[in-house]
Amino acid sequence: MIPIVTPLIGDEEARVLAEVLRSGMLAQGERVNEFEQSFSEYCGVQNSVAVSNGTVALDVALKAVGIQQGDEVITPSFTFIATANSVLFQGAKPVFADVDDKTFTINSNDVVEKITAKTKAIIGVHLFGHPFELKAVQEICEDHHLILIEDAAQAHGAEYNGKKVGSFGIGCFSFYPTKNMTTGEGGMITTSSDSIAETCRLLRNHGQGEKYNHITLGYNYRMTDLEAALGIVQLRKLDGFNEKRIKNADYFNEHLTVSGLNLSYKKDGVKHVYHQYAVTIEDDFPLSRDAFMEYLRDNNIGSAVHYPMPVHKQPLYQQMGYTEENVRCPVATAVAKKIVSLPVHPALQEEDLKYIAETINTVP
Ligand SMILES: Cc1ncc(COP(=O)(O)O)c(C=O)c1O
């Protein structure tokens, strides 16, 4: 079976993990500092704050900028649920904006429609590794005095007009094993504001300033040195991983010729790092999505649906009173019905790409 995802962990990762184990310094320590510094240099930001996962990165970032009950935060409806849930964790209200029908990232025109007097922040998501419309969203934030959060969980190394994502607003990354680089579990907040970084550092460690002097309510959201040691090595490999993903996507763009399949799209001026290679099944495709995925499975090719429903249709959100009518995100709802991800990860070999393309082009 060609899997939909495979983390690439090599001998170097095993060696550095063994070193940390032997050192006996297992929790947050020097490796975390080193990982944070390398990540800041890579993204071109002043500060990086390592945390225990990407959900925590979003949660801590929103807390650090003071989002609270009564506030509204605009997020796309087509994303992983953690993006919107991070707003709920503050007692605030997620307000859903629709997405672009080609990039599946937040639609800036709809963002403007959804702004109210209560809006405090916008979380854009660089979905599948494609940067969202940063220029337009940044301008909206400036005009309306809103905070810009970039959910970059799926976009390590992606660029917008030559600048790394995570360096425009407050960046929130995930290092879950399916991501473009991994630490097992892990997350990172990037910001060029020293004061926001300082608050994030307090929040991840029991609100502790000086030892046993707790100046705010914090939690234990720390990353371990084991995870950071993995991250240092994976970050060095990230550009190579991404180049391979881009090459694989280019191959599919060139060789998938079957009609009825809308291939992955990339806007000019962005570096798309293909966390996912997502296609949509159109009406003239010979199979339904389910039948297509079954056909792929029968031919030993993994595929997945990211995501089968927009966040506002999740039971949790339905229980809170979100409906299709009051949310008004028709593109998100339509895309969720027809999207499917094909394998694009860097472990794919030349013959895998050829086999996948041939299998799809000869769909019955
Ligand atoms: C867009 C997005 N945001 C946030 C997260 C949360 O990251 P984590 O799984 O590390 O908590 C993910 C992870 O899948 C994600 O894809």
Side-chain angles (χ1 to χ4, degrees), residues 226-246:
L226 283 161
E227 290 161 335
L230 271 180
I232 293 163
V233 177
Q234 288 268 304
L235 183 60
R236 283 202 291 265
K237 296 180 174 180
L238 176 63
D239 283 345
F241 289 159
N242 282 342
E243 287 317 311
K244 189 81 200 326
R245 285 177 182 272
I246 292 166

Side-chain angles (χ1 to χ4, degrees), residues 53-56 58 79-80 82-83 125 127 151 153-154 174-176 179 185-186 307:
N53 57 59
T55 308
V56 160
L58 288 162
T79 180
F80 182 60
T83 315
V125 181
L127 199 76
D151 182 338
Q154 306 185 356
S174 161
F175 303 119
Y176 189 72
K179 300 297 192 278
E185 293 277 6
Y307 297 93

Side-chain angles (χ1 to χ4, degrees), residues 37 44 50-51 60 64 66 81 122 129 140 153 156 196 199 205 240 269 272 274 297 302 355 362:
Q37 272 171 24
V51 290
V60 167
I81 198 163
I122 299 173
I140 295 168
H156 322 68
I196 290 173
T199 309
N205 190 22
H272 184 345
Y274 296 97
R297 202 166 34 247
Y355 174 69
T362 53

